[in-house]
Amino acid sequence: MTATLYVCTTCKVGEVHEDDSQRPGARLHRALTSAPAPDGVQIVGVACLSACKTGAAVALSQPGKWTYVYGQMTEDNAPDILEGAALYAASEDGIVPWRERPVIFRKQSVARVPALTLPLEAAP
Amino acid sequence: MTATLYVCTTCKVGEVHEDDSQRPGARLHRALTSAPAPDGVQIVGVACLSACKTGAAVALSQPGKWTYVYGQMTEDNAPDILEGAALYAASEDGIVPWRERPVIFRKQSVARVPALTLPLEAAP
């Protein structure tokens, strides 16, 4: 099973560019995909994560695990994001021990959502 | 299949209460569960949605649909949240037409995350 790192490619972060490929979200996506993805991680660009107030945003998701959204990411954060994504992929439930998380993941959480586990789906 | 409305029960929104049950998140959870849930919706309290900067927060999730997180919700928003949850549950992919969404859902989006669909999961 593969963890997915979603990257919002349209995040503007208040910048104005005639060329959409120069948006901070698009630049972050390029920085994250400039080298092979970590084991167990696929990187997927998304047109909008609706986190415009806290862009540039990324999200980590995998069946059976908590989903996490992080904001105010920049190209310079790409190595930390990839490290955090690898730890997420290697975790059992998506919850990486606090001290092991990259500092940007500790400080720039936008939201997390529980896994859609069978017991919850089966609830009335 | 049932949509899940997650409600963060620990959101403080800057308020200080000796009794945790008086926190804005707990009050919102009570307001949302004071009547039967809409058809196709289950309401689940969660200890923390890690959206502390934009609490009180709720999330909507269902297998095969986009996940949405909304913030700065209050008890007064409970009817609108339940209406939005019912529309989400009735939608095909979680994307409710913009004009049909409650205003609080249009203006107070925290983030959304794509569904973990089979093609993505099957990708390398």
Side-chain angles (χ1 to χ4, degrees), chain B residues 60-109:
Chain B
L60 280 166
S61 196
Q62 185 169 346
K65 296 187 181 182
W66 284 76
T67 290
Y68 281 83
V69 185
Y70 299 104
Q72 297 171 301
M73 300 284 133
T74 71
E75 295 159 274
D76 293 342
N77 299 135
D80 285 343
I81 295 169
L82 293 173
E83 182 195 335
L87 291 167
Y88 175 90
S91 72
E92 194 175 340
D93 54 8
I95 301 177
V96 175
W98 183 258
R99 289 187 179 189
E100 295 176 21
R101 296 181 200 180
V103 173
I104 51 166
F105 280 14
R106 285 186 233 159
K107 296 196 172 175
Q108 290 162 232
S109 169

mmCIF file of all heavy atoms in Angstrom, chain B residues 60-109:
data_model
loop_
_atom_site.group_PDB
_atom_site.id
_atom_site.type_symbol
_atom_site.label_atom_id
_atom_site.label_comp_id
_atom_site.label_asym_id
_atom_site.label_seq_id
_atom_site.Cartn_x
_atom_site.Cartn_y
_atom_site.Cartn_z
ATOM 1 N N LEU B 60 -15.894 16.321 7.012
ATOM 2 C CA LEU B 60 -16.814 15.398 6.341
ATOM 3 C C LEU B 60 -16.012 14.428 5.508
ATOM 4 O O LEU B 60 -15.150 14.835 4.725
ATOM 5 C CB LEU B 60 -17.781 16.174 5.441
ATOM 6 C CG LEU B 60 -18.956 16.832 6.150
ATOM 7 C CD1 LEU B 60 -19.638 17.838 5.231
ATOM 8 C CD2 LEU B 60 -19.957 15.775 6.615
ATOM 9 N N SER B 61 -16.291 13.141 5.678
ATOM 10 C CA SER B 61 -15.509 12.135 4.971
ATOM 11 C C SER B 61 -16.381 10.941 4.639
ATOM 12 O O SER B 61 -17.329 10.617 5.352
ATOM 13 C CB SER B 61 -14.337 11.712 5.885
ATOM 14 O OG SER B 61 -13.361 11.032 5.151
ATOM 15 N N GLN B 62 -16.084 10.327 3.532
ATOM 16 C CA GLN B 62 -16.802 9.122 3.112
ATOM 17 C C GLN B 62 -15.946 8.439 2.054
ATOM 18 O O GLN B 62 -15.361 9.104 1.191
ATOM 19 C CB GLN B 62 -18.176 9.499 2.535
ATOM 20 C CG GLN B 62 -19.040 8.288 2.185
ATOM 21 C CD GLN B 62 -20.485 8.661 1.874
ATOM 22 O OE1 GLN B 62 -20.928 9.762 2.159
ATOM 23 N NE2 GLN B 62 -21.224 7.732 1.296
ATOM 24 N N PRO B 63 -15.853 7.105 2.109
ATOM 25 C CA PRO B 63 -15.055 6.409 1.099
ATOM 26 C C PRO B 63 -15.493 6.791 -0.318
ATOM 27 O O PRO B 63 -16.695 6.859 -0.596
ATOM 28 C CB PRO B 63 -15.351 4.928 1.376
ATOM 29 C CG PRO B 63 -15.701 4.885 2.820
ATOM 30 C CD PRO B 63 -16.439 6.174 3.085
ATOM 31 N N GLY B 64 -14.527 7.067 -1.175
ATOM 32 C CA GLY B 64 -14.824 7.408 -2.562
ATOM 33 C C GLY B 64 -15.156 8.871 -2.786
ATOM 34 O O GLY B 64 -15.418 9.277 -3.912
ATOM 35 N N LYS B 65 -15.171 9.668 -1.706
ATOM 36 C CA LYS B 65 -15.499 11.097 -1.843
ATOM 37 C C LYS B 65 -14.346 11.961 -1.331
ATOM 38 O O LYS B 65 -13.544 11.522 -0.510
ATOM 39 C CB LYS B 65 -16.764 11.435 -1.029
ATOM 40 C CG LYS B 65 -18.008 10.740 -1.518
ATOM 41 C CD LYS B 65 -19.245 11.241 -0.773
ATOM 42 C CE LYS B 65 -20.492 10.501 -1.267
ATOM 43 N NZ LYS B 65 -21.721 10.985 -0.595
ATOM 44 N N TRP B 66 -14.308 13.202 -1.792
ATOM 45 C CA TRP B 66 -13.396 14.184 -1.222
ATOM 46 C C TRP B 66 -13.704 14.342 0.264
ATOM 47 O O TRP B 66 -14.872 14.278 0.679
ATOM 48 C CB TRP B 66 -13.581 15.547 -1.895
ATOM 49 C CG TRP B 66 -12.997 15.668 -3.264
ATOM 50 C CD1 TRP B 66 -13.507 15.144 -4.419
ATOM 51 C CD2 TRP B 66 -11.797 16.346 -3.636
ATOM 52 N NE1 TRP B 66 -12.690 15.473 -5.479
ATOM 53 C CE2 TRP B 66 -11.635 16.211 -5.033
ATOM 54 C CE3 TRP B 66 -10.833 17.078 -2.928
ATOM 55 C CZ2 TRP B 66 -10.557 16.765 -5.735
ATOM 56 C CZ3 TRP B 66 -9.764 17.630 -3.626
ATOM 57 C CH2 TRP B 66 -9.628 17.463 -5.000
ATOM 58 N N THR B 67 -12.661 14.566 1.054
ATOM 59 C CA THR B 67 -12.805 14.909 2.466
ATOM 60 C C THR B 67 -12.736 16.429 2.596
ATOM 61 O O THR B 67 -11.883 17.066 1.964
ATOM 62 C CB THR B 67 -11.673 14.269 3.289
ATOM 63 O OG1 THR B 67 -11.872 12.853 3.328
ATOM 64 C CG2 THR B 67 -11.631 14.802 4.722
ATOM 65 N N TYR B 68 -13.623 17.005 3.381
ATOM 66 C CA TYR B 68 -13.632 18.453 3.591
ATOM 67 C C TYR B 68 -13.466 18.772 5.081
ATOM 68 O O TYR B 68 -14.032 18.085 5.924
ATOM 69 C CB TYR B 68 -14.961 19.064 3.124
ATOM 70 C CG TYR B 68 -15.051 19.258 1.625
ATOM 71 C CD1 TYR B 68 -15.419 18.219 0.785
ATOM 72 C CD2 TYR B 68 -14.747 20.498 1.053
ATOM 73 C CE1 TYR B 68 -15.496 18.399 -0.594
ATOM 74 C CE2 TYR B 68 -14.826 20.681 -0.324
ATOM 75 C CZ TYR B 68 -15.197 19.637 -1.134
ATOM 76 O OH TYR B 68 -15.261 19.823 -2.490
ATOM 77 N N VAL B 69 -12.715 19.823 5.385
ATOM 78 C CA VAL B 69 -12.572 20.313 6.754
ATOM 79 C C VAL B 69 -13.029 21.765 6.795
ATOM 80 O O VAL B 69 -12.645 22.562 5.929
ATOM 81 C CB VAL B 69 -11.110 20.217 7.249
ATOM 82 C CG1 VAL B 69 -11.023 20.611 8.731
ATOM 83 C CG2 VAL B 69 -10.550 18.815 7.038
ATOM 84 N N TYR B 70 -13.846 22.084 7.779
ATOM 85 C CA TYR B 70 -14.336 23.454 7.941
ATOM 86 C C TYR B 70 -13.993 23.958 9.338
ATOM 87 O O TYR B 70 -13.957 23.171 10.300
ATOM 88 C CB TYR B 70 -15.857 23.503 7.735
ATOM 89 C CG TYR B 70 -16.274 23.069 6.354
ATOM 90 C CD1 TYR B 70 -16.825 21.810 6.135
ATOM 91 C CD2 TYR B 70 -16.085 23.911 5.260
ATOM 92 C CE1 TYR B 70 -17.193 21.402 4.853
ATOM 93 C CE2 TYR B 70 -16.445 23.509 3.983
ATOM 94 C CZ TYR B 70 -16.998 22.259 3.786
ATOM 95 O OH TYR B 70 -17.348 21.862 2.521
ATOM 96 N N GLY B 71 -13.757 25.283 9.443
ATOM 97 C CA GLY B 71 -13.340 25.830 10.733
ATOM 98 C C GLY B 71 -14.159 27.013 11.196
ATOM 99 O O GLY B 71 -15.053 27.486 10.484
ATOM 100 N N GLN B 72 -13.845 27.468 12.386
ATOM 101 C CA GLN B 72 -14.524 28.607 13.021
ATOM 102 C C GLN B 72 -16.033 28.393 13.064
ATOM 103 O O GLN B 72 -16.822 29.304 12.785
ATOM 104 C CB GLN B 72 -14.157 29.902 12.285
ATOM 105 C CG GLN B 72 -12.642 30.178 12.402
ATOM 106 C CD GLN B 72 -12.176 31.317 11.540
ATOM 107 O OE1 GLN B 72 -12.342 31.284 10.317
ATOM 108 N NE2 GLN B 72 -11.590 32.324 12.152
ATOM 109 N N MET B 73 -16.402 27.169 13.421
ATOM 110 C CA MET B 73 -17.812 26.825 13.561
ATOM 111 C C MET B 73 -18.260 27.096 15.008
ATOM 112 O O MET B 73 -17.487 26.931 15.946
ATOM 113 C CB MET B 73 -18.017 25.324 13.269
ATOM 114 C CG MET B 73 -17.599 24.889 11.877
ATOM 115 S SD MET B 73 -18.787 25.372 10.599
ATOM 116 C CE MET B 73 -17.698 26.064 9.354
ATOM 117 N N THR B 74 -19.507 27.496 15.163
ATOM 118 C CA THR B 74 -20.067 27.700 16.491
ATOM 119 C C THR B 74 -21.366 26.897 16.632
ATOM 120 O O THR B 74 -21.898 26.374 15.644
ATOM 121 C CB THR B 74 -20.401 29.188 16.750
ATOM 122 O OG1 THR B 74 -21.543 29.541 15.954
ATOM 123 C CG2 THR B 74 -19.225 30.085 16.389
ATOM 124 N N GLU B 75 -21.873 26.856 17.860
ATOM 125 C CA GLU B 75 -23.143 26.149 18.089
ATOM 126 C C GLU B 75 -24.253 26.676 17.179
ATOM 127 O O GLU B 75 -25.109 25.921 16.723
ATOM 128 C CB GLU B 75 -23.583 26.333 19.540
ATOM 129 C CG GLU B 75 -22.673 25.704 20.552
ATOM 130 C CD GLU B 75 -22.867 26.345 21.916
ATOM 131 O OE1 GLU B 75 -22.213 27.384 22.173
ATOM 132 O OE2 GLU B 75 -23.660 25.820 22.702
ATOM 133 N N ASP B 76 -24.231 27.988 16.947
ATOM 134 C CA ASP B 76 -25.277 28.585 16.110
ATOM 135 C C ASP B 76 -25.252 28.046 14.682
ATOM 136 O O ASP B 76 -26.237 28.154 13.955
ATOM 137 C CB ASP B 76 -25.133 30.115 16.069
ATOM 138 C CG ASP B 76 -25.407 30.730 17.422
ATOM 139 O OD1 ASP B 76 -26.018 30.046 18.269
ATOM 140 O OD2 ASP B 76 -24.998 31.882 17.637
ATOM 141 N N ASN B 77 -24.091 27.506 14.271
ATOM 142 C CA ASN B 77 -23.961 26.976 12.908
ATOM 143 C C ASN B 77 -24.475 25.549 12.774
ATOM 144 O O ASN B 77 -24.465 24.991 11.667
ATOM 145 C CB ASN B 77 -22.493 27.006 12.463
ATOM 146 C CG ASN B 77 -21.882 28.394 12.437
ATOM 147 O OD1 ASN B 77 -20.768 28.606 12.895
ATOM 148 N ND2 ASN B 77 -22.622 29.353 11.925
ATOM 149 N N ALA B 78 -24.890 24.943 13.879
ATOM 150 C CA ALA B 78 -25.256 23.518 13.841
ATOM 151 C C ALA B 78 -26.280 23.204 12.732
ATOM 152 O O ALA B 78 -26.082 22.255 11.969
ATOM 153 C CB ALA B 78 -25.751 23.049 15.207
ATOM 154 N N PRO B 79 -27.362 23.977 12.599
ATOM 155 C CA PRO B 79 -28.324 23.644 11.515
ATOM 156 C C PRO B 79 -27.679 23.686 10.129
ATOM 157 O O PRO B 79 -27.938 22.818 9.295
ATOM 158 C CB PRO B 79 -29.406 24.724 11.674
ATOM 159 C CG PRO B 79 -29.316 25.159 13.101
ATOM 160 C CD PRO B 79 -27.865 25.086 13.443
ATOM 161 N N ASP B 80 -26.835 24.688 9.884
ATOM 162 C CA ASP B 80 -26.183 24.790 8.575
ATOM 163 C C ASP B 80 -25.194 23.641 8.359
ATOM 164 O O ASP B 80 -25.061 23.125 7.243
ATOM 165 C CB ASP B 80 -25.438 26.122 8.448
ATOM 166 C CG ASP B 80 -26.383 27.291 8.217
ATOM 167 O OD1 ASP B 80 -27.539 27.036 7.838
ATOM 168 O OD2 ASP B 80 -25.960 28.434 8.414
ATOM 169 N N ILE B 81 -24.484 23.271 9.405
ATOM 170 C CA ILE B 81 -23.529 22.161 9.291
ATOM 171 C C ILE B 81 -24.281 20.874 8.936
ATOM 172 O O ILE B 81 -23.855 20.108 8.065
ATOM 173 C CB ILE B 81 -22.734 21.986 10.604
ATOM 174 C CG1 ILE B 81 -21.850 23.216 10.868
ATOM 175 C CG2 ILE B 81 -21.881 20.711 10.558
ATOM 176 C CD1 ILE B 81 -21.242 23.248 12.258
ATOM 177 N N LEU B 82 -25.406 20.646 9.607
ATOM 178 C CA LEU B 82 -26.176 19.423 9.341
ATOM 179 C C LEU B 82 -26.764 19.441 7.926
ATOM 180 O O LEU B 82 -26.795 18.407 7.245
ATOM 181 C CB LEU B 82 -27.291 19.258 10.379
ATOM 182 C CG LEU B 82 -26.784 18.989 11.807
ATOM 183 C CD1 LEU B 82 -27.943 19.009 12.793
ATOM 184 C CD2 LEU B 82 -26.036 17.661 11.885
ATOM 185 N N GLU B 83 -27.178 20.614 7.482
ATOM 186 C CA GLU B 83 -27.688 20.731 6.110
ATOM 187 C C GLU B 83 -26.571 20.427 5.111
ATOM 188 O O GLU B 83 -26.760 19.688 4.136
ATOM 189 C CB GLU B 83 -28.228 22.150 5.869
ATOM 190 C CG GLU B 83 -28.816 22.342 4.486
ATOM 191 C CD GLU B 83 -28.990 23.824 4.146
ATOM 192 O OE1 GLU B 83 -29.113 24.646 5.068
ATOM 193 O OE2 GLU B 83 -28.966 24.136 2.940
ATOM 194 N N GLY B 84 -25.392 20.995 5.363
ATOM 195 C CA GLY B 84 -24.255 20.753 4.475
ATOM 196 C C GLY B 84 -23.827 19.295 4.490
ATOM 197 O O GLY B 84 -23.440 18.738 3.453
ATOM 198 N N ALA B 85 -23.918 18.668 5.662
ATOM 199 C CA ALA B 85 -23.547 17.251 5.773
ATOM 200 C C ALA B 85 -24.512 16.382 4.979
ATOM 201 O O ALA B 85 -24.109 15.416 4.315
ATOM 202 C CB ALA B 85 -23.525 16.827 7.241
ATOM 203 N N ALA B 86 -25.799 16.732 5.020
ATOM 204 C CA ALA B 86 -26.800 15.958 4.274
ATOM 205 C C ALA B 86 -26.566 16.087 2.770
ATOM 206 O O ALA B 86 -26.669 15.103 2.028
ATOM 207 C CB ALA B 86 -28.206 16.448 4.643
ATOM 208 N N LEU B 87 -26.223 17.295 2.318
ATOM 209 C CA LEU B 87 -25.935 17.501 0.891
ATOM 210 C C LEU B 87 -24.686 16.714 0.487
ATOM 211 O O LEU B 87 -24.624 16.124 -0.594
ATOM 212 C CB LEU B 87 -25.729 18.997 0.608
ATOM 213 C CG LEU B 87 -26.990 19.860 0.720
ATOM 214 C CD1 LEU B 87 -26.627 21.346 0.731
ATOM 215 C CD2 LEU B 87 -27.936 19.553 -0.441
ATOM 216 N N TYR B 88 -23.689 16.721 1.367
ATOM 217 C CA TYR B 88 -22.459 15.954 1.105
ATOM 218 C C TYR B 88 -22.792 14.471 0.984
ATOM 219 O O TYR B 88 -22.342 13.793 0.055
ATOM 220 C CB TYR B 88 -21.475 16.197 2.247
ATOM 221 C CG TYR B 88 -20.203 15.386 2.184
ATOM 222 C CD1 TYR B 88 -19.080 15.872 1.521
ATOM 223 C CD2 TYR B 88 -20.107 14.138 2.803
ATOM 224 C CE1 TYR B 88 -17.910 15.131 1.459
ATOM 225 C CE2 TYR B 88 -18.943 13.397 2.748
ATOM 226 C CZ TYR B 88 -17.841 13.901 2.076
ATOM 227 O OH TYR B 88 -16.684 13.158 2.020
ATOM 228 N N ALA B 89 -23.597 13.976 1.922
ATOM 229 C CA ALA B 89 -23.940 12.543 1.918
ATOM 230 C C ALA B 89 -24.687 12.166 0.630
ATOM 231 O O ALA B 89 -24.515 11.064 0.106
ATOM 232 C CB ALA B 89 -24.787 12.205 3.147
ATOM 233 N N ALA B 90 -25.493 13.096 0.142
ATOM 234 C CA ALA B 90 -26.290 12.808 -1.059
ATOM 235 C C ALA B 90 -25.500 12.997 -2.352
ATOM 236 O O ALA B 90 -25.960 12.607 -3.421
ATOM 237 C CB ALA B 90 -27.532 13.707 -1.074
ATOM 238 N N SER B 91 -24.317 13.597 -2.250
ATOM 239 C CA SER B 91 -23.530 13.867 -3.460
ATOM 240 C C SER B 91 -22.798 12.617 -3.918
ATOM 241 O O SER B 91 -22.610 11.669 -3.154
ATOM 242 C CB SER B 91 -22.513 14.984 -3.186
ATOM 243 O OG SER B 91 -21.477 14.491 -2.351
ATOM 244 N N GLU B 92 -22.368 12.661 -5.174
ATOM 245 C CA GLU B 92 -21.705 11.485 -5.738
ATOM 246 C C GLU B 92 -20.254 11.386 -5.293
ATOM 247 O O GLU B 92 -19.757 10.312 -4.965
ATOM 248 C CB GLU B 92 -21.766 11.556 -7.267
ATOM 249 C CG GLU B 92 -21.407 10.251 -7.946
ATOM 250 C CD GLU B 92 -21.609 10.324 -9.451
ATOM 251 O OE1 GLU B 92 -22.356 11.211 -9.914
ATOM 252 O OE2 GLU B 92 -21.019 9.506 -10.157
ATOM 253 N N ASP B 93 -19.572 12.537 -5.295
ATOM 254 C CA ASP B 93 -18.136 12.536 -5.028
ATOM 255 C C ASP B 93 -17.729 13.450 -3.875
ATOM 256 O O ASP B 93 -16.548 13.708 -3.666
ATOM 257 C CB ASP B 93 -17.369 12.941 -6.298
ATOM 258 C CG ASP B 93 -17.866 14.280 -6.865
ATOM 259 O OD1 ASP B 93 -18.682 14.936 -6.186
ATOM 260 O OD2 ASP B 93 -17.425 14.649 -7.967
ATOM 261 N N GLY B 94 -18.722 13.954 -3.155
ATOM 262 C CA GLY B 94 -18.429 14.845 -2.025
ATOM 263 C C GLY B 94 -18.433 16.313 -2.417
ATOM 264 O O GLY B 94 -18.394 17.188 -1.551
ATOM 265 N N ILE B 95 -18.450 16.575 -3.724
ATOM 266 C CA ILE B 95 -18.426 17.961 -4.199
ATOM 267 C C ILE B 95 -19.859 18.438 -4.416
ATOM 268 O O ILE B 95 -20.512 18.064 -5.391
ATOM 269 C CB ILE B 95 -17.593 18.095 -5.489
ATOM 270 C CG1 ILE B 95 -16.160 17.620 -5.227
ATOM 271 C CG2 ILE B 95 -17.612 19.546 -5.980
ATOM 272 C CD1 ILE B 95 -15.260 17.632 -6.449
ATOM 273 N N VAL B 96 -20.337 19.251 -3.485
ATOM 274 C CA VAL B 96 -21.684 19.816 -3.584
ATOM 275 C C VAL B 96 -21.583 21.090 -4.424
ATOM 276 O O VAL B 96 -20.654 21.890 -4.224
ATOM 277 C CB VAL B 96 -22.226 20.151 -2.176
ATOM 278 C CG1 VAL B 96 -23.576 20.863 -2.250
ATOM 279 C CG2 VAL B 96 -22.323 18.877 -1.336
ATOM 280 N N PRO B 97 -22.508 21.299 -5.395
ATOM 281 C CA PRO B 97 -22.444 22.527 -6.192
ATOM 282 C C PRO B 97 -22.318 23.769 -5.294
ATOM 283 O O PRO B 97 -23.005 23.870 -4.272
ATOM 284 C CB PRO B 97 -23.778 22.518 -6.948
ATOM 285 C CG PRO B 97 -24.128 21.065 -7.074
ATOM 286 C CD PRO B 97 -23.636 20.443 -5.786
ATOM 287 N N TRP B 98 -21.425 24.680 -5.715
ATOM 288 C CA TRP B 98 -21.049 25.830 -4.887
ATOM 289 C C TRP B 98 -22.256 26.577 -4.328
ATOM 290 O O TRP B 98 -22.321 26.873 -3.125
ATOM 291 C CB TRP B 98 -20.176 26.768 -5.738
ATOM 292 C CG TRP B 98 -19.660 27.953 -5.005
ATOM 293 C CD1 TRP B 98 -20.130 29.229 -5.061
ATOM 294 C CD2 TRP B 98 -18.569 27.962 -4.071
ATOM 295 N NE1 TRP B 98 -19.399 30.047 -4.233
ATOM 296 C CE2 TRP B 98 -18.444 29.301 -3.623
ATOM 297 C CE3 TRP B 98 -17.698 27.004 -3.586
ATOM 298 C CZ2 TRP B 98 -17.466 29.685 -2.693
ATOM 299 C CZ3 TRP B 98 -16.729 27.381 -2.666
ATOM 300 C CH2 TRP B 98 -16.623 28.697 -2.234
ATOM 301 N N ARG B 99 -23.224 26.872 -5.183
ATOM 302 C CA ARG B 99 -24.357 27.690 -4.736
ATOM 303 C C ARG B 99 -25.250 26.980 -3.740
ATOM 304 O O ARG B 99 -26.017 27.614 -3.028
ATOM 305 C CB ARG B 99 -25.213 28.090 -5.943
ATOM 306 C CG ARG B 99 -24.539 29.091 -6.826
ATOM 307 C CD ARG B 99 -25.497 29.562 -7.892
ATOM 308 N NE ARG B 99 -24.891 30.545 -8.757
ATOM 309 C CZ ARG B 99 -25.555 31.236 -9.661
ATOM 310 N NH1 ARG B 99 -26.846 31.042 -9.808
ATOM 311 N NH2 ARG B 99 -24.943 32.115 -10.421
ATOM 312 N N GLU B 100 -25.178 25.651 -3.733
ATOM 313 C CA GLU B 100 -26.032 24.896 -2.802
ATOM 314 C C GLU B 100 -25.392 24.758 -1.423
ATOM 315 O O GLU B 100 -26.066 24.396 -0.465
ATOM 316 C CB GLU B 100 -26.312 23.502 -3.383
ATOM 317 C CG GLU B 100 -27.133 23.541 -4.655
ATOM 318 C CD GLU B 100 -27.319 22.154 -5.261
ATOM 319 O OE1 GLU B 100 -27.180 21.157 -4.538
ATOM 320 O OE2 GLU B 100 -27.578 22.089 -6.491
ATOM 321 N N ARG B 101 -24.112 25.021 -1.336
ATOM 322 C CA ARG B 101 -23.431 24.850 -0.042
ATOM 323 C C ARG B 101 -23.847 25.925 0.947
ATOM 324 O O ARG B 101 -24.031 27.087 0.567
ATOM 325 C CB ARG B 101 -21.907 24.964 -0.226
ATOM 326 C CG ARG B 101 -21.332 23.880 -1.073
ATOM 327 C CD ARG B 101 -19.816 24.042 -1.186
ATOM 328 N NE ARG B 101 -19.338 23.318 -2.345
ATOM 329 C CZ ARG B 101 -18.077 23.245 -2.736
ATOM 330 N NH1 ARG B 101 -17.143 23.863 -2.046
ATOM 331 N NH2 ARG B 101 -17.733 22.566 -3.801
ATOM 332 N N PRO B 102 -23.969 25.575 2.222
ATOM 333 C CA PRO B 102 -24.195 26.618 3.228
ATOM 334 C C PRO B 102 -23.077 27.662 3.140
ATOM 335 O O PRO B 102 -21.926 27.326 2.832
ATOM 336 C CB PRO B 102 -24.116 25.854 4.563
ATOM 337 C CG PRO B 102 -24.359 24.416 4.217
ATOM 338 C CD PRO B 102 -23.863 24.237 2.812
ATOM 339 N N VAL B 103 -23.428 28.915 3.405
ATOM 340 C CA VAL B 103 -22.443 29.994 3.296
ATOM 341 C C VAL B 103 -21.214 29.712 4.168
ATOM 342 O O VAL B 103 -20.080 29.969 3.761
ATOM 343 C CB VAL B 103 -23.096 31.347 3.681
ATOM 344 C CG1 VAL B 103 -22.044 32.449 3.748
ATOM 345 C CG2 VAL B 103 -24.164 31.712 2.651
ATOM 346 N N ILE B 104 -21.426 29.158 5.356
ATOM 347 C CA ILE B 104 -20.267 28.881 6.220
ATOM 348 C C ILE B 104 -19.327 27.876 5.578
ATOM 349 O O ILE B 104 -18.126 27.908 5.814
ATOM 350 C CB ILE B 104 -20.689 28.373 7.617
ATOM 351 C CG1 ILE B 104 -21.685 27.215 7.507
ATOM 352 C CG2 ILE B 104 -21.237 29.501 8.467
ATOM 353 C CD1 ILE B 104 -21.870 26.451 8.815
ATOM 354 N N PHE B 105 -19.840 26.970 4.760
ATOM 355 C CA PHE B 105 -18.967 26.015 4.072
ATOM 356 C C PHE B 105 -18.228 26.702 2.916
ATOM 357 O O PHE B 105 -17.113 26.338 2.587
ATOM 358 C CB PHE B 105 -19.768 24.815 3.546
ATOM 359 C CG PHE B 105 -20.075 23.777 4.587
ATOM 360 C CD1 PHE B 105 -19.917 24.029 5.945
ATOM 361 C CD2 PHE B 105 -20.513 22.499 4.214
ATOM 362 C CE1 PHE B 105 -20.196 23.056 6.914
ATOM 363 C CE2 PHE B 105 -20.789 21.522 5.164
ATOM 364 C CZ PHE B 105 -20.638 21.803 6.516
ATOM 365 N N ARG B 106 -18.873 27.689 2.315
ATOM 366 C CA ARG B 106 -18.199 28.403 1.218
ATOM 367 C C ARG B 106 -17.071 29.263 1.752
ATOM 368 O O ARG B 106 -16.024 29.390 1.135
ATOM 369 C CB ARG B 106 -19.196 29.316 0.495
ATOM 370 C CG ARG B 106 -20.155 28.568 -0.404
ATOM 371 C CD ARG B 106 -21.012 29.556 -1.196
ATOM 372 N NE ARG B 106 -22.416 29.263 -1.047
ATOM 373 C CZ ARG B 106 -23.403 30.119 -1.270
ATOM 374 N NH1 ARG B 106 -23.145 31.352 -1.643
ATOM 375 N NH2 ARG B 106 -24.651 29.754 -1.118
ATOM 376 N N LYS B 107 -17.310 29.871 2.910
ATOM 377 C CA LYS B 107 -16.360 30.890 3.397
ATOM 378 C C LYS B 107 -15.367 30.362 4.414
ATOM 379 O O LYS B 107 -14.354 31.024 4.681
ATOM 380 C CB LYS B 107 -17.143 32.053 4.024
ATOM 381 C CG LYS B 107 -18.001 32.788 3.014
ATOM 382 C CD LYS B 107 -18.460 34.140 3.542
ATOM 383 C CE LYS B 107 -19.145 34.928 2.438
ATOM 384 N NZ LYS B 107 -19.723 36.191 2.918
ATOM 385 N N GLN B 108 -15.646 29.225 5.038
ATOM 386 C CA GLN B 108 -14.798 28.794 6.139
ATOM 387 C C GLN B 108 -14.154 27.429 5.885
ATOM 388 O O GLN B 108 -14.013 26.605 6.787
ATOM 389 C CB GLN B 108 -15.617 28.813 7.441
ATOM 390 C CG GLN B 108 -15.936 30.243 7.875
ATOM 391 C CD GLN B 108 -17.063 30.366 8.873
ATOM 392 O OE1 GLN B 108 -18.020 31.133 8.674
ATOM 393 N NE2 GLN B 108 -16.973 29.631 9.953
ATOM 394 N N SER B 109 -13.753 27.241 4.620
ATOM 395 C CA SER B 109 -13.024 26.017 4.285
ATOM 396 C C SER B 109 -11.638 26.051 4.918
ATOM 397 O O SER B 109 -10.934 27.053 4.847
ATOM 398 C CB SER B 109 -12.879 25.889 2.767
ATOM 399 O OG SER B 109 -11.960 24.860 2.448
#
